[in-house]
Amino acid sequence: IIVTVRMGGFDLLYHGLNAQTFPQEDFEVIIVDSCYAERRAAMENLQVVNPTTLLPANWFHIELPDKLDYYDACFANNYGLRMARGELVVFLTDNIWPEPKFLERHWQIYTNFPGYSMCGYCDRYELPSIKFPLDWQNCWWSIYEHEFTAEFAAKYWDAVPPYYRERKGGIRGAAVPGSPYFEMPGDMFYAALNESIPMSVLKDINGWNEDLDGGYGCADIELGMRANLAGHKFLTFPDSINNKLG
């Protein structure tokens, strides 16, 4: 589930998720878009020019109804949850490039360690050059000089060092013997960068706490703690690192 209210970013999602090692038929992508009307029109225009930009059948681009007059990521994620059919839910922010084994690793931990799901890490990068002047027809798809295809992304991450390696302050629990995993306390679950949680647990804890909308980007930072109280735990895999622009 991805929520967005920005121009651009669809090139990262589209190419990054299409490059996953996890089988495409085994996951769905739900984009809850506060700029739905503008982006839908732009995507239809793109598809006339380049039919390869058609969204795959497992992608669902949906409008956020009843938009609030303040930052409402919790409300938007809960709306996406009501549309979701998956057993394991991953929340992503926009302008993020998921590493190729990202979904595969989330599913492996969930299936191999009952009662656990995964927390990964994230590297943050400076924004690349913006297309200027902006093409107002297509800026809802991409705003950068170079579209983030898999080929361009590989070159960019190679050439540009991250300005911040987000490692949850170095906090983690005990190592899991015989594995590369570590326990991760629920208060380190920053949903939307590289985390997953089972749908059954989300139903137990009633999803995201919408009382926390209107604040900072992380919004509901209690979600992982509530999951712990409901009996669910998290493991981190240090080698799973997503790349975030900005």
Side-chain angles (χ1 to χ4, degrees):
I1 296 174
I2 299 104
V3 304
T4 186
V5 66
R6 287 195 179 106
M7 289 190 295
F10 259 52
D11 51 340
L12 281 92
L13 283 174
Y14 180 77
H15 295 296
L17 288 172
N18 280 335
Q20 290 296 297
T21 56
F22 197 66
Q24 292 284 321
E25 64 269 19
D26 288 341
F27 70 92
E28 63 183 0
V29 181
I30 297 172
I31 304 136
V32 183
D33 193 354
S34 291
C35 303
Y36 176 86
E38 298 89 342
R39 201 172 331 258
R40 183 72 257 166
M43 285 163 58
E44 287 168 358
N45 180 62
L46 269 176
Q47 288 160 10
V48 171
V49 178
N50 182 5
T52 62
T53 57
L54 281 166
L55 293 184
N58 59 326
W59 285 55
F60 302 92
H61 180 218
I62 60 177
E63 185 171 15
L64 180 64
D66 307 320
K67 283 183 277 190
L68 307 178
D69 59 359
Y70 51 83
Y71 183 77
D72 55 359
C74 298
F75 172 67
N77 274 307
N78 281 340
Y79 187 75
L81 272 176
R82 290 197 285 274
M83 307 293 151
R85 299 169 297 168
E87 184 179 341
L88 182 67
V89 181
V90 177
F91 297 101
L92 278 184
T93 187
D94 49 16
N95 266 309
I96 202 164
W97 183 273
E99 56 103 355
K101 292 188 176 181
F102 158 71
L103 289 177
E104 180 184 338
R105 286 166 167 161
H106 277 276
W107 187 252
Q108 283 175 343
I109 283 182
Y110 171 67
T111 53
N112 293 337
F113 294 85
Y116 287 86
S117 59
M118 188 179 113
C119 283
Y121 289 142
C122 180
D123 282 346
R124 292 181 179 267
Y125 290 77
E126 298 289 354
L127 294 174
S129 298
I130 303 294
K131 241 183 326 197
F132 189 80
L134 275 176
D135 174 356
W136 291 102
Q137 286 278 0
N138 295 330
C139 64
W140 299 100
W141 178 267
S142 175
I143 58 170
Y144 303 118
E145 278 186 355
H146 299 281
E147 181 166 339
F148 264 80
T149 60
E151 182 182 10
F152 176 75
K155 291 177 182 175
Y156 190 80
W157 313 132
D158 250 4
V160 179
Y163 70 81
Y164 177 48
R165 300 181 188 274
E166 195 157 316
R167 299 295 182 267
K168 301 181 185 291
I171 296 169
R172 63 188 186 191
V176 177
S179 83
Y181 308 131
F182 295 82
E183 293 256 5
M184 179 62 72
D187 57 340
M188 292 291 106
F189 181 97
Y190 304 153
L193 295 176
N194 191 351
E195 294 85 10
S196 60
I197 188 167
M199 178 66 84
S200 59
V201 175
L202 287 162
K203 288 180 177 177
D204 283 347
I205 65 176
N206 200 28
W208 292 58
N209 182 356
E210 294 178 20
D211 288 344
L212 297 172
D213 271 333
Y216 292 101
C218 287
D220 184 0
I221 59 170
E222 306 168 347
L223 192 143
M225 290 183 278
R226 298 202 313 276
N228 278 173
L229 289 170
H232 186 70
K233 296 182 180 180
F234 301 98
L235 294 178
T236 192
F237 180 36
D239 289 348
S240 181
I241 303 169
N242 288 341
N243 293 337
K244 174 89 172 79
L245 293 178

mmCIF file of all heavy atoms in Angstrom, residues 113-146:
data_model
loop_
_atom_site.group_PDB
_atom_site.id
_atom_site.type_symbol
_atom_site.label_atom_id
_atom_site.label_comp_id
_atom_site.label_asym_id
_atom_site.label_seq_id
_atom_site.Cartn_x
_atom_site.Cartn_y
_atom_site.Cartn_z
ATOM 1 N N PHE A 113 9.162 -17.828 10.080
ATOM 2 C CA PHE A 113 9.157 -17.508 11.513
ATOM 3 C C PHE A 113 7.733 -17.110 11.917
ATOM 4 O O PHE A 113 7.407 -15.918 11.976
ATOM 5 C CB PHE A 113 10.140 -16.373 11.819
ATOM 6 C CG PHE A 113 11.588 -16.710 11.590
ATOM 7 C CD1 PHE A 113 12.144 -16.586 10.320
ATOM 8 C CD2 PHE A 113 12.378 -17.184 12.621
ATOM 9 C CE1 PHE A 113 13.470 -16.911 10.094
ATOM 10 C CE2 PHE A 113 13.713 -17.512 12.409
ATOM 11 C CZ PHE A 113 14.259 -17.385 11.132
ATOM 12 N N PRO A 114 6.880 -18.090 12.196
ATOM 13 C CA PRO A 114 5.484 -17.777 12.556
ATOM 14 C C PRO A 114 5.421 -16.789 13.724
ATOM 15 O O PRO A 114 6.174 -16.910 14.699
ATOM 16 C CB PRO A 114 4.916 -19.141 12.945
ATOM 17 C CG PRO A 114 5.752 -20.125 12.187
ATOM 18 C CD PRO A 114 7.135 -19.549 12.162
ATOM 19 N N GLY A 115 4.540 -15.814 13.592
ATOM 20 C CA GLY A 115 4.393 -14.799 14.641
ATOM 21 C C GLY A 115 5.290 -13.604 14.455
ATOM 22 O O GLY A 115 5.257 -12.675 15.271
ATOM 23 N N TYR A 116 6.096 -13.611 13.366
ATOM 24 C CA TYR A 116 7.012 -12.492 13.085
ATOM 25 C C TYR A 116 6.746 -11.932 11.696
ATOM 26 O O TYR A 116 6.265 -12.629 10.805
ATOM 27 C CB TYR A 116 8.475 -12.958 13.121
ATOM 28 C CG TYR A 116 9.019 -13.242 14.491
ATOM 29 C CD1 TYR A 116 8.844 -14.497 15.082
ATOM 30 C CD2 TYR A 116 9.729 -12.277 15.205
ATOM 31 C CE1 TYR A 116 9.357 -14.779 16.342
ATOM 32 C CE2 TYR A 116 10.249 -12.554 16.466
ATOM 33 C CZ TYR A 116 10.063 -13.798 17.026
ATOM 34 O OH TYR A 116 10.567 -14.067 18.261
ATOM 35 N N SER A 117 7.105 -10.669 11.504
ATOM 36 C CA SER A 117 7.246 -10.090 10.163
ATOM 37 C C SER A 117 8.487 -9.207 10.179
ATOM 38 O O SER A 117 9.145 -9.064 11.207
ATOM 39 C CB SER A 117 5.987 -9.333 9.732
ATOM 40 O OG SER A 117 5.678 -8.296 10.632
ATOM 41 N N MET A 118 8.811 -8.619 9.015
ATOM 42 C CA MET A 118 10.133 -8.010 8.849
ATOM 43 C C MET A 118 10.139 -6.490 8.971
ATOM 44 O O MET A 118 9.223 -5.813 8.515
ATOM 45 C CB MET A 118 10.701 -8.400 7.476
ATOM 46 C CG MET A 118 12.154 -7.971 7.273
ATOM 47 S SD MET A 118 12.798 -8.468 5.663
ATOM 48 C CE MET A 118 13.036 -6.881 4.880
ATOM 49 N N CYS A 119 11.205 -5.987 9.572
ATOM 50 C CA CYS A 119 11.593 -4.580 9.508
ATOM 51 C C CYS A 119 12.937 -4.516 8.784
ATOM 52 O O CYS A 119 13.882 -5.191 9.204
ATOM 53 C CB CYS A 119 11.787 -3.985 10.893
ATOM 54 S SG CYS A 119 10.282 -3.595 11.763
ATOM 55 N N GLY A 120 13.020 -3.737 7.709
ATOM 56 C CA GLY A 120 14.296 -3.547 7.042
ATOM 57 C C GLY A 120 14.816 -2.139 7.268
ATOM 58 O O GLY A 120 14.340 -1.419 8.155
ATOM 59 N N TYR A 121 15.777 -1.753 6.459
ATOM 60 C CA TYR A 121 16.404 -0.443 6.606
ATOM 61 C C TYR A 121 16.185 0.407 5.355
ATOM 62 O O TYR A 121 15.566 -0.018 4.382
ATOM 63 C CB TYR A 121 17.904 -0.607 6.866
ATOM 64 C CG TYR A 121 18.243 -1.162 8.235
ATOM 65 C CD1 TYR A 121 19.287 -2.065 8.403
ATOM 66 C CD2 TYR A 121 17.517 -0.784 9.358
ATOM 67 C CE1 TYR A 121 19.612 -2.566 9.656
ATOM 68 C CE2 TYR A 121 17.835 -1.288 10.620
ATOM 69 C CZ TYR A 121 18.881 -2.179 10.761
ATOM 70 O OH TYR A 121 19.196 -2.671 11.996
ATOM 71 N N CYS A 122 16.730 1.622 5.388
ATOM 72 C CA CYS A 122 16.531 2.567 4.296
ATOM 73 C C CYS A 122 17.737 3.502 4.205
ATOM 74 O O CYS A 122 18.269 3.927 5.235
ATOM 75 C CB CYS A 122 15.257 3.377 4.559
ATOM 76 S SG CYS A 122 14.857 4.587 3.301
ATOM 77 N N ASP A 123 18.187 3.773 2.974
ATOM 78 C CA ASP A 123 19.189 4.806 2.725
ATOM 79 C C ASP A 123 18.498 5.989 2.050
ATOM 80 O O ASP A 123 17.683 5.793 1.139
ATOM 81 C CB ASP A 123 20.304 4.295 1.810
ATOM 82 C CG ASP A 123 21.313 3.423 2.538
ATOM 83 O OD1 ASP A 123 21.307 3.416 3.787
ATOM 84 O OD2 ASP A 123 22.114 2.744 1.862
ATOM 85 N N ARG A 124 18.842 7.192 2.477
ATOM 86 C CA ARG A 124 18.225 8.395 1.892
ATOM 87 C C ARG A 124 19.232 9.111 1.002
ATOM 88 O O ARG A 124 20.397 9.290 1.377
ATOM 89 C CB ARG A 124 17.731 9.332 3.002
ATOM 90 C CG ARG A 124 16.549 8.753 3.779
ATOM 91 C CD ARG A 124 16.059 9.709 4.844
ATOM 92 N NE ARG A 124 14.925 9.145 5.564
ATOM 93 C CZ ARG A 124 13.651 9.347 5.241
ATOM 94 N NH1 ARG A 124 13.359 10.101 4.196
ATOM 95 N NH2 ARG A 124 12.678 8.803 5.942
ATOM 96 N N TYR A 125 18.735 9.530 -0.162
ATOM 97 C CA TYR A 125 19.572 10.179 -1.174
ATOM 98 C C TYR A 125 19.029 11.555 -1.507
ATOM 99 O O TYR A 125 17.823 11.794 -1.444
ATOM 100 C CB TYR A 125 19.593 9.341 -2.458
ATOM 101 C CG TYR A 125 20.339 8.039 -2.338
ATOM 102 C CD1 TYR A 125 19.773 6.942 -1.704
ATOM 103 C CD2 TYR A 125 21.630 7.899 -2.853
ATOM 104 C CE1 TYR A 125 20.455 5.743 -1.588
ATOM 105 C CE2 TYR A 125 22.322 6.705 -2.743
ATOM 106 C CZ TYR A 125 21.736 5.630 -2.111
ATOM 107 O OH TYR A 125 22.419 4.445 -1.991
ATOM 108 N N GLU A 126 19.957 12.457 -1.909
ATOM 109 C CA GLU A 126 19.537 13.758 -2.400
ATOM 110 C C GLU A 126 18.683 13.576 -3.656
ATOM 111 O O GLU A 126 18.877 12.636 -4.425
ATOM 112 C CB GLU A 126 20.755 14.623 -2.751
ATOM 113 C CG GLU A 126 21.676 14.926 -1.584
ATOM 114 C CD GLU A 126 21.068 15.909 -0.585
ATOM 115 O OE1 GLU A 126 19.970 16.444 -0.863
ATOM 116 O OE2 GLU A 126 21.699 16.131 0.469
ATOM 117 N N LEU A 127 17.749 14.491 -3.863
ATOM 118 C CA LEU A 127 16.939 14.434 -5.068
ATOM 119 C C LEU A 127 17.814 14.673 -6.300
ATOM 120 O O LEU A 127 18.669 15.558 -6.289
ATOM 121 C CB LEU A 127 15.846 15.503 -5.022
ATOM 122 C CG LEU A 127 14.776 15.350 -3.952
ATOM 123 C CD1 LEU A 127 13.870 16.574 -3.966
ATOM 124 C CD2 LEU A 127 13.956 14.094 -4.167
ATOM 125 N N PRO A 128 17.603 13.911 -7.375
ATOM 126 C CA PRO A 128 18.314 14.209 -8.625
ATOM 127 C C PRO A 128 17.741 15.457 -9.273
ATOM 128 O O PRO A 128 16.765 16.033 -8.786
ATOM 129 C CB PRO A 128 18.039 12.963 -9.470
ATOM 130 C CG PRO A 128 16.776 12.408 -8.935
ATOM 131 C CD PRO A 128 16.730 12.750 -7.474
ATOM 132 N N SER A 129 18.335 15.855 -10.381
ATOM 133 C CA SER A 129 17.881 17.073 -11.073
ATOM 134 C C SER A 129 16.424 16.930 -11.508
ATOM 135 O O SER A 129 16.010 15.890 -12.027
ATOM 136 C CB SER A 129 18.748 17.339 -12.307
ATOM 137 O OG SER A 129 20.078 17.549 -11.914
ATOM 138 N N ILE A 130 15.674 18.007 -11.283
ATOM 139 C CA ILE A 130 14.272 18.053 -11.688
ATOM 140 C C ILE A 130 14.195 18.442 -13.173
ATOM 141 O O ILE A 130 14.999 19.238 -13.649
ATOM 142 C CB ILE A 130 13.509 19.092 -10.844
ATOM 143 C CG1 ILE A 130 13.637 18.779 -9.352
ATOM 144 C CG2 ILE A 130 12.043 19.181 -11.260
ATOM 145 C CD1 ILE A 130 12.984 17.530 -8.896
ATOM 146 N N LYS A 131 13.248 17.846 -13.875
ATOM 147 C CA LYS A 131 12.989 18.235 -15.257
ATOM 148 C C LYS A 131 12.546 19.696 -15.284
ATOM 149 O O LYS A 131 11.630 20.064 -14.550
ATOM 150 C CB LYS A 131 11.836 17.378 -15.797
ATOM 151 C CG LYS A 131 12.182 16.517 -16.960
ATOM 152 C CD LYS A 131 11.011 15.732 -17.513
ATOM 153 C CE LYS A 131 9.981 15.253 -16.545
ATOM 154 N NZ LYS A 131 9.119 14.187 -17.096
ATOM 155 N N PHE A 132 13.168 20.507 -16.115
ATOM 156 C CA PHE A 132 12.757 21.910 -16.173
ATOM 157 C C PHE A 132 12.876 22.422 -17.606
ATOM 158 O O PHE A 132 13.888 22.204 -18.250
ATOM 159 C CB PHE A 132 13.613 22.767 -15.244
ATOM 160 C CG PHE A 132 13.103 24.165 -15.105
ATOM 161 C CD1 PHE A 132 12.038 24.444 -14.255
ATOM 162 C CD2 PHE A 132 13.655 25.186 -15.849
ATOM 163 C CE1 PHE A 132 11.550 25.742 -14.145
ATOM 164 C CE2 PHE A 132 13.171 26.482 -15.755
ATOM 165 C CZ PHE A 132 12.121 26.756 -14.899
ATOM 166 N N PRO A 133 11.841 23.080 -18.140
ATOM 167 C CA PRO A 133 10.545 23.289 -17.464
ATOM 168 C C PRO A 133 9.761 21.991 -17.347
ATOM 169 O O PRO A 133 9.934 21.087 -18.161
ATOM 170 C CB PRO A 133 9.834 24.279 -18.407
ATOM 171 C CG PRO A 133 10.443 24.013 -19.745
ATOM 172 C CD PRO A 133 11.877 23.651 -19.493
ATOM 173 N N LEU A 134 8.921 21.904 -16.333
ATOM 174 C CA LEU A 134 8.143 20.690 -16.115
ATOM 175 C C LEU A 134 7.159 20.472 -17.257
ATOM 176 O O LEU A 134 6.546 21.413 -17.754
ATOM 177 C CB LEU A 134 7.365 20.783 -14.801
ATOM 178 C CG LEU A 134 8.106 20.388 -13.528
ATOM 179 C CD1 LEU A 134 7.217 20.641 -12.326
ATOM 180 C CD2 LEU A 134 8.550 18.939 -13.554
ATOM 181 N N ASP A 135 7.035 19.235 -17.655
ATOM 182 C CA ASP A 135 6.027 18.836 -18.635
ATOM 183 C C ASP A 135 4.736 18.565 -17.870
ATOM 184 O O ASP A 135 4.595 17.538 -17.220
ATOM 185 C CB ASP A 135 6.517 17.573 -19.363
ATOM 186 C CG ASP A 135 5.476 17.000 -20.301
ATOM 187 O OD1 ASP A 135 4.342 17.526 -20.340
ATOM 188 O OD2 ASP A 135 5.798 16.018 -20.987
ATOM 189 N N TRP A 136 3.818 19.507 -17.915
ATOM 190 C CA TRP A 136 2.628 19.398 -17.067
ATOM 191 C C TRP A 136 1.720 18.238 -17.455
ATOM 192 O O TRP A 136 0.870 17.831 -16.677
ATOM 193 C CB TRP A 136 1.861 20.721 -17.068
ATOM 194 C CG TRP A 136 2.644 21.762 -16.340
ATOM 195 C CD1 TRP A 136 3.383 22.757 -16.890
ATOM 196 C CD2 TRP A 136 2.838 21.856 -14.929
ATOM 197 N NE1 TRP A 136 4.013 23.486 -15.909
ATOM 198 C CE2 TRP A 136 3.687 22.953 -14.690
ATOM 199 C CE3 TRP A 136 2.374 21.118 -13.833
ATOM 200 C CZ2 TRP A 136 4.093 23.339 -13.420
ATOM 201 C CZ3 TRP A 136 2.769 21.515 -12.562
ATOM 202 C CH2 TRP A 136 3.618 22.604 -12.367
ATOM 203 N N GLN A 137 1.906 17.697 -18.664
ATOM 204 C CA GLN A 137 1.132 16.516 -19.035
ATOM 205 C C GLN A 137 1.631 15.283 -18.276
ATOM 206 O O GLN A 137 0.845 14.453 -17.843
ATOM 207 C CB GLN A 137 1.257 16.252 -20.548
ATOM 208 C CG GLN A 137 0.479 17.213 -21.417
ATOM 209 C CD GLN A 137 -0.994 16.812 -21.513
ATOM 210 O OE1 GLN A 137 -1.423 15.832 -20.928
ATOM 211 N NE2 GLN A 137 -1.758 17.577 -22.258
ATOM 212 N N ASN A 138 2.962 15.174 -18.152
ATOM 213 C CA ASN A 138 3.538 13.919 -17.672
ATOM 214 C C ASN A 138 4.259 14.022 -16.329
ATOM 215 O O ASN A 138 4.859 13.051 -15.877
ATOM 216 C CB ASN A 138 4.505 13.359 -18.727
ATOM 217 C CG ASN A 138 3.774 12.967 -19.997
ATOM 218 O OD1 ASN A 138 2.603 12.586 -19.951
ATOM 219 N ND2 ASN A 138 4.439 13.081 -21.132
ATOM 220 N N CYS A 139 4.214 15.192 -15.682
ATOM 221 C CA CYS A 139 4.954 15.339 -14.413
ATOM 222 C C CYS A 139 4.323 14.526 -13.283
ATOM 223 O O CYS A 139 4.930 14.353 -12.233
ATOM 224 C CB CYS A 139 5.056 16.804 -14.013
ATOM 225 S SG CYS A 139 3.458 17.570 -13.654
ATOM 226 N N TRP A 140 3.111 14.034 -13.482
ATOM 227 C CA TRP A 140 2.508 13.190 -12.441
ATOM 228 C C TRP A 140 3.129 11.806 -12.439
ATOM 229 O O TRP A 140 3.064 11.093 -11.443
ATOM 230 C CB TRP A 140 0.995 13.121 -12.631
ATOM 231 C CG TRP A 140 0.397 14.477 -12.516
ATOM 232 C CD1 TRP A 140 0.026 15.309 -13.536
ATOM 233 C CD2 TRP A 140 0.162 15.200 -11.303
ATOM 234 N NE1 TRP A 140 -0.430 16.504 -13.033
ATOM 235 C CE2 TRP A 140 -0.358 16.469 -11.662
ATOM 236 C CE3 TRP A 140 0.337 14.904 -9.948
ATOM 237 C CZ2 TRP A 140 -0.699 17.429 -10.721
ATOM 238 C CZ3 TRP A 140 0.001 15.864 -9.014
ATOM 239 C CH2 TRP A 140 -0.512 17.104 -9.400
ATOM 240 N N TRP A 141 3.753 11.441 -13.552
ATOM 241 C CA TRP A 141 4.455 10.145 -13.629
ATOM 242 C C TRP A 141 5.883 10.293 -13.100
ATOM 243 O O TRP A 141 6.324 9.542 -12.250
ATOM 244 C CB TRP A 141 4.456 9.649 -15.080
ATOM 245 C CG TRP A 141 5.189 8.356 -15.280
ATOM 246 C CD1 TRP A 141 6.503 8.199 -15.627
ATOM 247 C CD2 TRP A 141 4.659 7.039 -15.120
ATOM 248 N NE1 TRP A 141 6.824 6.861 -15.711
ATOM 249 C CE2 TRP A 141 5.711 6.130 -15.406
ATOM 250 C CE3 TRP A 141 3.402 6.540 -14.788
ATOM 251 C CZ2 TRP A 141 5.530 4.742 -15.350
ATOM 252 C CZ3 TRP A 141 3.226 5.162 -14.735
ATOM 253 C CH2 TRP A 141 4.281 4.279 -15.007
ATOM 254 N N SER A 142 6.609 11.278 -13.627
ATOM 255 C CA SER A 142 8.000 11.490 -13.218
ATOM 256 C C SER A 142 8.328 12.977 -13.281
ATOM 257 O O SER A 142 7.860 13.681 -14.178
ATOM 258 C CB SER A 142 8.944 10.720 -14.142
ATOM 259 O OG SER A 142 10.295 11.006 -13.816
ATOM 260 N N ILE A 143 9.138 13.450 -12.330
ATOM 261 C CA ILE A 143 9.534 14.862 -12.341
ATOM 262 C C ILE A 143 11.038 15.029 -12.550
ATOM 263 O O ILE A 143 11.543 16.142 -12.551
ATOM 264 C CB ILE A 143 9.120 15.581 -11.037
ATOM 265 C CG1 ILE A 143 9.751 14.890 -9.816
ATOM 266 C CG2 ILE A 143 7.620 15.687 -10.921
ATOM 267 C CD1 ILE A 143 9.599 15.666 -8.531
ATOM 268 N N TYR A 144 11.757 13.906 -12.717
ATOM 269 C CA TYR A 144 13.214 13.994 -12.804
ATOM 270 C C TYR A 144 13.682 14.026 -14.254
ATOM 271 O O TYR A 144 12.992 13.571 -15.162
ATOM 272 C CB TYR A 144 13.850 12.821 -12.056
ATOM 273 C CG TYR A 144 13.411 12.773 -10.616
ATOM 274 C CD1 TYR A 144 12.704 11.684 -10.109
ATOM 275 C CD2 TYR A 144 13.669 13.844 -9.760
ATOM 276 C CE1 TYR A 144 12.273 11.659 -8.792
ATOM 277 C CE2 TYR A 144 13.240 13.830 -8.445
ATOM 278 C CZ TYR A 144 12.539 12.733 -7.967
ATOM 279 O OH TYR A 144 12.108 12.721 -6.672
ATOM 280 N N GLU A 145 14.886 14.568 -14.462
ATOM 281 C CA GLU A 145 15.437 14.654 -15.813
ATOM 282 C C GLU A 145 15.520 13.286 -16.465
ATOM 283 O O GLU A 145 15.319 13.145 -17.668
ATOM 284 C CB GLU A 145 16.829 15.300 -15.771
ATOM 285 C CG GLU A 145 16.793 16.808 -15.705
ATOM 286 C CD GLU A 145 18.187 17.409 -15.820
ATOM 287 O OE1 GLU A 145 19.179 16.644 -15.857
ATOM 288 O OE2 GLU A 145 18.289 18.649 -15.870
ATOM 289 N N HIS A 146 15.855 12.280 -15.658
ATOM 290 C CA HIS A 146 15.959 10.913 -16.165
ATOM 291 C C HIS A 146 14.918 10.047 -15.457
ATOM 292 O O HIS A 146 14.870 10.030 -14.227
ATOM 293 C CB HIS A 146 17.358 10.343 -15.910
ATOM 294 C CG HIS A 146 18.455 11.107 -16.592
ATOM 295 N ND1 HIS A 146 18.744 10.965 -17.926
ATOM 296 C CD2 HIS A 146 19.308 12.037 -16.110
ATOM 297 C CE1 HIS A 146 19.742 11.776 -18.252
ATOM 298 N NE2 HIS A 146 20.101 12.441 -17.157
#
